[in-house]
Every structure is written in structure tokens, then in C-alpha cells.
DNA sequence: CCTGGGCGTTAAGGTTTTATCAAGATCACG
DNA sequence: CGTGATCTTGATAAAACCTTAACGCCCAGG
């Protein structure tokens, strides 16, 4: 289910969006100012954001920059008609699209679909096989060779997913922490050690001699066979 | 240089776009109907397309679908005001953005920049091959010809990275020390000797007769084959 | 022939980073 | 409200890494 974060302080707009989006099977969360919008983006990891530029507490482009610092989640911006320069500033700050109020719900929904579609360009090989187990990204399953599911906790799964999507490539500790725990946890590298160890215990044939979940000391981890 | 394909049959718009885009250092090509637009897209491989929906020969969404069949080049659509359903159809067909005529050139340019930025996440050419090994900057990996990873420590990587990014060029000791250890270490040329030696031991077929990591006495080092 | 500077090599010490374990806190669910 | 699973946090031992210093080589210049 696609998760949408709406950042807007006008109750009528929030209400309209919530109803329409929920009816179309989006999962909607709402923030009513910039600061809580940034917090919500970090916490909820929405698949797409709808952001009103006329927020009470901070400039819309600041919010965009705040999110763009660590995430490439698509951002669709809302603003009143005629603010040409604002449009330009928002797009240059990293917004993906722009809708003028009052807007037609159909248009907004179409732009939303377009944004989400653009953002997910990875319909590639959702199944990765190694010599000892198979990871099915789409089905969220790990199957041991010779049969038998390996069950992972949500955090373990997220971590494995990031590594597998970048298989062969080194993923820095920062990036892992950011993508799994959020930008506020960039320095909590202990979490990584604990969870990498758990994954190794579940996946590796010899957990003390990791073959698939490899450590690159001082840099990060790498999934590879 | 970014290549833009404009598909529009209104001479005044074509002229305005050509002037403005050329002035901003885009390379502009033009087609005046849908059929030649599709042909031009296939032939020129533009980095981004600007497409007017009101073409004489075919429906705009058909053009979009035609391009989307084989390419993910960003498409920005132009159309007259008020055709709400047309917007929706175009976005759903695979357009990336939508601008209503009459439009402000600033806005169009901003949307163009946003579209190009989204589409090109990889500006680098991060793989360098020599006769004995391959350096993949993005994956932070060195692979020996004949298979087998060579693992490097963080400092070794940084040093190798600076040299490889400047391959063929002489890099002074100062520059290396500054980029790897920081400006305070400009004179610690002993560090360089230690780490260059380590890299040679790991990479060179004959470490005592360096072929890829060459010393330029009194000056610095050079990566080359 | 001697001397000194630049470079290559090596290895020990100290520091930082990582693996592993275990217990307390928190969350989800009935 | 209780229970089990999951997540956080801290401690400790092991491993990897960086720094530093010493020594030898080569070559140019005195």
C-alpha cells in the first residue's frame, strides 16, 4: 500500500485529501506544520509527500531541503495561484511536481500516480539466489536451500533488503542507518552490529566466517557471493 | 550538454523555446508533428522532451505511449488551460510533468531542470580497468583479473580514489596528503610512502616494479597504465 | 669516497572499530 | 493487563587499522 504524507495546515484541504486518498487505498498520515512534517517524514517513511507551501512555521522550500538532505521521496507541492517565483524555488529545491490551488482532485491523483511511478524504477530481479539461500524481495521471504523458510523480524528484513538491493556494492554505515532507522540514527552504529550479527546467525552457513554479509571495516557492509 | 527535443506545431512557441533554451546552453531539436516527433526521439535520443498535446496528426497521449515503449526519457507536456481530463490522461500515459499555456519561461525552465535532475542520478563513470585489475569507484571494489576481490582499508581507498579520479595526471604529494589526511598533514609525506607501498603490495603484479602506481620523484604520484 | 635527501620497506604500539553476549525496555496482541 | 517477541542499550573481548620510528637503498653533489 502506498503511503502518503500530507503536510498542510488547512483543515478543509486535509480533510478532502484524506477522504479521497483513503478511498483509493492510500495510507495517509498528516502533519500540520513544517517541523512536524519533517519529523513525520523521518518517522513514517512515506512513499510520497504532498506539501503545502503556505505553512505557519517555516518556508516550504526549507522543508523540501530538509527532506532532500537524506531522502529522495517524491514531493508534490501545493500553493495558491500566481506565485510564479515560488514555483521555481520549490522545484529547484528538489520538489518533483507542483499543483496550484484550487486544484482538481483528479489532477492531483494523476500527478501522485506519476510521481510514485517515477520513483520506483526497480521492477528488476526481485529474487536473489546465493549458494545457501534465496531472498525474494517481492514476497518478503527468505528460503533456505533444501527448503524451509527463515523468518526475519521487520528490522532484520529492512536491513537485508537495503543490502540485497545494493548487492555487490558497498553500503556505508550511514546509509544503512539512515534507510533502516531514519536520519536521526546516523551514528548509532551499534544497532548495525547487533542486527548484522542476527542476520548472520540466521543466514550464514558459518556465522563467524561471514560469506554473504561481509564487513568492510571502517566503511560499511556489503552483500555479495 | 543537455539535449532537448521540442515537439510543437506552433511556430511562435517553437521560436521562443529555441531562443531561451539555446541561450541557456541546451541543445535543441524540433519536430512539428507527432510522427516526426517519435522519429526524432528515436534518432536523437534527447535527454528530455517537451511535447505539445495539440498536434495536427495524432493525439498527444499516443506520442507519449510511443516513446514510453522503449525509453524513459522525461516528457514535459504543454497544453491549453482547462483541459483537466487531458492532463490526467497525459500523466497516466507516462508524462513526467505538465505545463499550461500560456506559460512563464522561468517555470518551464525550472520544471525542465527538475525533470533532468530526476532522470540522471549517475553523472560519473566510476569503473576503471587496467590489465591486471578493475576499480569500481561506486561499489568501492577492486577485482583482480581472474576473479577475487582485493579488500582495502578506508585510507587505502581514499588514496586510490584520488589517484584513479586523476588517472594519467600527476598528483602532487601535497594534494594527496590534503585530500586524504586533511590540510594539517601537508608535510607528512611519510604517510604516503607507507600507504602507496601497501597499495602496491595489494594491486601491482610486481610491487617492486610499480606499473600502475608510479612515483614521480620529487613531485608526487600518478595512476596510469 | 663520503654524505645527505628522497624513497621504499617493515614492524611494534596504541587507538579505534567490530563481534558477541546478555539484560532491561518497549511494543503488539490477545 | 499479561505475555512473548522485538528492539534498545551497555559491557567486554577480539580484530583491524593508523601512526610512528627505524633502517636500507639509490643517486646526486661535494
Amino acid at each position: 500500500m502506498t503511503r502518503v504524507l500530507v503536510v498542510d495546515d488547512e483543515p478543509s484541504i486535509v480533510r478532502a485529501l484524506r477522504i479521497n486518498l483513503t478511498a483509493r487505498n492510500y495510507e495517509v498520515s498528516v502533519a500540520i506544520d513544517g517541523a512536524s512534517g519533517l519529523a513525520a517524514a523521518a518517522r513514517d517513511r512515506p512513499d510520497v509527500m504532498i506539501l503545502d507551501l503556505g505553512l505557519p512555521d517555516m518556508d516550504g522550500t526549507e522543508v523540501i531541503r530538509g527532506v532532500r538532505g537524506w531522502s529522495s521521496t517524491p514531493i508534490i507541492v501545493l500553493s495558491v495561484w500566481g506565485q510564479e517565483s515560488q514555483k521555481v524555488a520549490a522545484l529547484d529545491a528538489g520538489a518533483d511536481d507542483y499543483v496550484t490551488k484550487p486544484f482538481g482532485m483528479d489532477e492531483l491523483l494523476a500527478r501522485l500516480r506519476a510521481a510514485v511511478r517515477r520513483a520506483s524504477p526497480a521492477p528488476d530481479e526481485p529474487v536473489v539466489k546465493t549458494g545457501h539461500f534465496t531472498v525474494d524481495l517481492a514476497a518478503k521471504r527468505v528460503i533456505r536451500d533444501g527448503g524451509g523458510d527463515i523468518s526475519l523480524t521487520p528490522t532484520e528484513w529492512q536491513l537485508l533488503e537495503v543490502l540485497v538491493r545494493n548487492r555487490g556494492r558497498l553500503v556505508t554505515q550511514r546509509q544503512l542507518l539512515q534507510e533502516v532507522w531514519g536520519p536521526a540514527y546516523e551514528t548509532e552504529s551499534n544497532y548495525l552490529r547487533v542486527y548484522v550479527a542476527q542476520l548472520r546467525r540466521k543466514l550464514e552457513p558459518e556465522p563467524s566466517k561471514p560469506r554473504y554479509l561481509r564487513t568492510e571495516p571502517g566503511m560499511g557492509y556489503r552483500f555479495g557471493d
Side-chain angles (χ1 to χ4, degrees), chain A:
Chain A
M1 189 145 83
T2 308
R3 294 192 310 256
V4 184
L5 171 60
V6 176
V7 185
D8 200 320
D9 64 323
E10 292 182 46
S12 61
I13 292 186
V14 169
R15 195 168 149 274
L17 285 173
R18 196 196 286 278
I19 291 171
N20 275 284
L21 291 171
T22 305
R24 280 162 184 86
N25 220 28
Y26 291 89
E27 193 177 319
V28 181
S29 54
V30 173
I32 58 165
D33 56 43
S36 53
L38 283 169
R43 191 184 58 244
D44 299 347
R45 307 310 184 72
D47 299 303
V48 56
M49 281 180 69
I50 298 175
L51 171 68
D52 193 325
L53 287 187
L55 293 173
D57 63 331
M58 55 197 287
D59 187 61
T61 57
E62 286 311 308
V63 180
I64 296 170
R65 263 181 276 274
V67 173
R68 277 290 168 273
W70 58 272
S71 161
S72 59
T73 302
I75 300 176
I76 297 176
V77 152
L78 301 179
S79 174
V80 295
W81 188 86
Q83 306 272 32
E84 190 81 357
S85 63
Q86 219 181 21
K87 285 191 194 185
V88 174
L91 290 169
D92 280 339
D96 288 70
D97 207 343
Y98 195 105
V99 177
T100 301
K101 293 190 290 190
F103 53 86
M105 192 53 71
D106 281 347
E107 179 186 352
L108 180 65
L109 289 168
R111 288 188 185 274
L112 204 65
R113 285 193 295 276
V116 171
R117 170 164 38 74
R118 277 197 308 264
S120 58
D124 62 339
E125 197 72 46
V127 175
V128 177
K129 211 172 147 13
T130 74
H132 290 82
F133 55 88
T134 304
V135 182
D136 186 334
L137 275 322
K140 289 218 190 304
R141 275 182 20 146
V142 185
I143 301 150
R144 198 190 311 277
D145 274 14
D149 275 32
I150 299 173
S151 82
L152 302 179
T153 71
T155 308
E156 287 166 4
W157 181 259
Q158 281 193 65
L159 180 57
L160 181 63
E161 188 164 338
V162 176
L163 286 168
V164 168
R165 284 198 195 286
N166 292 285
R167 90 190 84 113
R169 195 170 304 150
L170 188 151
V171 189
T172 64
Q173 303 198 0
R174 260 177 91 132
Q175 191 182 339
L176 287 168
L177 287 164
Q178 236 173 43
E179 296 205 27
V180 177
W181 283 271
Y185 292 74
E186 264 186 9
T187 59
E188 298 287 340
S189 51
N190 212 33
Y191 287 17
L192 276 183
R193 296 193 201 104
V194 172
Y195 277 89
V196 168
Q198 279 171 2
L199 280 178
R200 282 176 178 154
R201 202 161 337 117
K202 293 187 177 182
L203 302 179
E204 292 276 0
E206 270 185 288
S208 58
K209 292 198 179 27
R211 176 171 163 193
Y212 303 110
L213 296 162
R214 286 188 287 197
T215 304
E216 302 281 351
M219 300 193 284
Y221 293 86
R222 180 199 308 274
F223 183 93
D225 45 322

